Amino acid sequence: MIHTSKDSEASPKRRFTIVTDTFPPDVNGVAMTLKHLCARLAARGHAIEVVYPRAQTSVAISGVRFREVRGIPLPG
């Protein structure tokens, strides 16, 4: 939960790097949750970077820097 009190608005800005194997355009609970988390943290002025495997299409969230990396399949 993200609080919106005056105290939390005065908190120092932070830098976050999220490394994940799923992010939109994937459609699943984890990808959608990370998308909303990144958008809300960026809206609060935090610096966000997401590292995830290369996807077919790009995602754009204002204030979020994306770094796509080459993914490799793992034997199942």
Side-chain angles (χ1 to χ4, degrees):
M1 175 187 251
I2 298 177
H3 299 281
T4 57
S5 69
K6 290 182 181 178
D7 292 337
S8 65
E9 290 176 357
S11 66
K13 303 305 179 200
R14 302 191 187 274
R15 293 176 14 171
F16 295 91
T17 299
I18 299 172
V19 180
T20 180
D21 65 339
T22 183
F23 201 81
D26 293 348
V27 180
N28 61 52
V30 173
M32 296 295 114
T33 299
L34 288 175
K35 176 184 173 184
H36 293 294
L37 174 67
C38 290
R40 289 185 180 190
L41 287 172
R44 295 188 65 147
H46 298 292
I48 310 299
E49 179 180 36
V50 177
V51 179
Y52 68 106
R54 190 174 316 247
Q56 296 295 331
T57 59
S58 298
V59 176
I61 299 174
S62 178
V64 178
R65 178 179 163 200
F66 293 95
R67 180 174 299 174
E68 292 182 348
V69 296
R70 185 175 51 119
I72 58 171
L74 297 175

